[in-house]
Amino acid sequence: MKKMRIMRLLVMLSILVIILSACSGNNANGDEKSSEKGGDVYTFKVSHVTQESHVWHQTALKFGEELEKLSDGRMKLEIYPASQLGLEKDMAQQLETGSLDFGFLTNAYMSTRQDSLNAWFMPFTFKNLEEAVKMRESEAAKQMLEDLNSQGLVGLDFIFAGNRHILMKNGHVSSPQDLKGKKIRIIGSPAIQEFLEKVGAGPTAMPLSEVYTSLQTGVIDGIDIDLDALVTEKYYENAENLTLTNHITFPSVIVMSQKTYDKLTTEDQEIVKKALKAAADWGVQQAIQRENKNLEELKKHGVKVKELTDTSAFDSIAKEVKDKYAEKSPVIKKFLEEAKQ
Ligand code: BEZ
């Protein structure tokens, strides 16, 4: 009888051990579990501000696939799109504490935290998106990523939403005169603001969520926008004059929490970097293809498209902005030199 009771106790204890070990997954937030194939198991979290149809979300999905493939299923990715985890400043804070593992943050927001990132917003540096994405491989771009270490972030790569253009309720843009006194929505960033101020426009920073109504009601006269956002958010319903200015490009900075990174073995850090590189390479090519597809789509919707082929009317303003930023930041100076090559 006593033997039976001991046996029953042992069986119950073994069940308890099995249940407890199954409950503890080694995710990025500290629980521990090893896979049968060896190596720890992780469920990482990534967040970004765009909708699920956006190329940045598609790149995050690709990153998840690559992680699973390269880690033999040990690493998974949970994606939180459309600011589900808060504003970008909240995401940055979560990355610092390690409660968020990866962020696809707009370069615009990050340029308010790290001056050198304004390099991507130096006016009229790229004629098209292909030229801009090549600068991902530049020494200056690599330096920008490395400098993020001082913020508790591991800078991994840049991907792109497209180049930025101007959509106006009335008229196209061929010189600064066409923008004089016009209220133009921008995403907040020092260099974008400065360029439009020097042009004589009234740059108005506001989140994407307010743009549709502001255009509709005439609170703003136009917007600085990439084609992907223009198509997804249907701004062409309230303004029909699109000038393809390519005045800046619009990247996302992909960052990882230093806290999460430090928890990984060197081999796992390599897996993460390899998976991210594969996804980002794919993402930038997608962005280039979408640039053309989006333009066709806009034409189908009756948008009046004009290409700004001669940008010389903006030369002196663009030079003023570039000189000022190059003087402030050696990385921006180097970026502009490399972009000329
Ligand atoms: C914007 O605010 O303009 C924006 C943000 C993320 C992706 C595309 C556009």
Side-chain angles (χ1 to χ4, degrees):
M1 194 63 188
K2 197 174 167 198
K3 235 183 187 175
M4 279 285 282
R5 232 183 287 144
I6 291 173
M7 281 290 284
R8 223 180 285 145
L9 201 67
L10 278 175
V11 169
M12 278 169 69
L13 268 174
S14 334
I15 291 171
L16 196 66
V17 167
I18 290 167
I19 290 173
L20 280 178
S21 60
C23 285
S24 64
N26 188 12
N27 66 23
N29 291 319
D31 312 322
E32 297 220 347
K33 184 184 168 195
S34 290
S35 82
E36 284 151 24
K37 289 183 187 150
D40 291 336
V41 174
Y42 294 95
T43 302
F44 297 119
K45 285 186 198 158
V46 62
S47 184
H48 61 79
V49 298
T50 58
Q51 303 297 325
E52 291 183 31
S53 56
H54 195 272
V55 68
W56 293 354
H57 185 79
Q58 301 303 315
T59 307
L61 287 170
K62 181 81 179 161
F63 178 36
E65 282 169 24
E66 291 291 329
L67 274 177
E68 281 208 53
K69 190 171 78 190
L70 295 175
S71 67
D72 282 330
R74 285 189 300 112
M75 295 181 187
K76 293 201 173 7
L77 192 65
E78 280 173 2
I79 310 173
Y80 297 85
S83 305
Q84 279 174 18
L85 297 186
L87 302 173
E88 292 198 293
K89 71 173 168 50
D90 304 315
M91 291 180 213
Q93 202 178 17
Q94 292 157 17
L95 285 158
E96 277 166 41
T97 61
S99 61
L100 178 64
D101 305 302
F102 296 93
F104 287 21
L105 300 171
T106 62
N107 189 70
Y109 169 68
M110 291 305 286
S111 71
T112 64
R113 298 172 58 112
Q114 181 172 296
D115 214 22
S116 62
L117 291 167
N118 282 292
W120 294 104
F121 300 144
M122 292 298 100
F124 298 108
T125 303
F126 314 110
K127 286 199 178 64
N128 50 46
L129 185 58
E130 284 91 329
E131 280 192 20
V133 305
K134 277 193 196 138
M135 287 303 286
R136 198 175 145 231
E137 307 297 336
S138 67
E139 288 306 313
K142 287 178 188 150
Q143 188 64 50
M144 291 172 208
L145 295 174
E146 217 171 297
D147 290 347
L148 289 165
N149 286 347
S150 64
Q151 304 196 34
L153 300 172
V154 181
L156 293 172
D157 215 326
F158 295 99
I159 53 170
F160 297 79
N163 277 2
R164 298 285 269 209
H165 309 285
I166 303 281
L167 180 78
M168 303 259 278
K169 281 177 88 72
N170 296 303
H172 287 98
V173 180
S174 47
S175 75
Q177 200 53 40
D178 300 318
L179 289 165
K180 231 178 187 62
K182 295 275 169 32
K183 274 201 166 168
I184 305 293
R185 178 269 171 178
I186 57 164
I187 184 171
S189 167
I192 305 176
Q193 169 102 17
E194 190 151 351
F195 169 63
L196 282 168
E197 273 169 5
K198 283 191 192 301
V199 160
T204 311
M206 67 170 68
L208 272 189
S209 55
E210 289 172 25
V211 172
Y212 188 93
T213 316
S214 300
L215 264 180
Q216 193 173 41
T217 55
V219 167
I220 48 176
D221 302 300
I223 57 176
D224 156 316
I225 199 73
D226 57 83
L227 302 185
D228 219 35
L230 178 44
V231 169
T232 334
E233 310 283 345
K234 298 190 167 65
Y235 297 136
Y236 51 79
E237 290 178 352
N238 297 324
E240 58 173 12
N241 302 293
L242 173 67
T243 309
L244 297 173
T245 54
N246 284 287
H247 57 286
I248 53 168
T249 193
F250 199 71
S252 160
V253 195
I254 305 183
V255 294
M256 183 174 185
S257 162
Q258 184 78 54
K259 287 227 163 96
T260 305
Y261 186 79
D262 290 345
K263 280 185 203 159
L264 306 187
T265 60
T266 316
E267 290 76 25
D268 282 352
Q269 289 172 350
E270 283 311 308
I271 289 177
V272 166
K273 285 190 206 157
K274 216 167 149 189
L276 195 275
K277 169 89 169 69
D281 284 347
W282 178 88
V284 296
Q285 290 313 316
Q286 285 294 309
I288 291 170
Q289 285 169 25
R290 285 167 80 127
E291 195 85 336
N292 298 327
K293 256 196 270 162
N294 284 328
L295 189 56
E296 289 316 308
E297 175 88 14
L298 289 166
K299 285 180 183 164
K300 266 193 231 152
H301 286 288
V303 174
K304 295 176 188 153
V305 181
K306 187 183 159 203
E307 196 169 347
L308 180 67
T309 43
D310 179 7
T311 59
S312 58
F314 290 91
D315 278 357
S316 63
I317 294 169
K319 185 173 178 326
E320 252 182 71
V321 177
K322 285 176 178 169
D323 286 352
K324 178 176 166 188
Y325 277 84
E327 203 177 307
K328 274 205 295 183
S329 158
V331 179
I332 298 183
K333 185 164 186 271
K334 182 148 182 54
F335 183 87
L336 290 171
E337 283 163 5
E338 286 185 272
K340 274 194 205 144
Q341 287 162 16

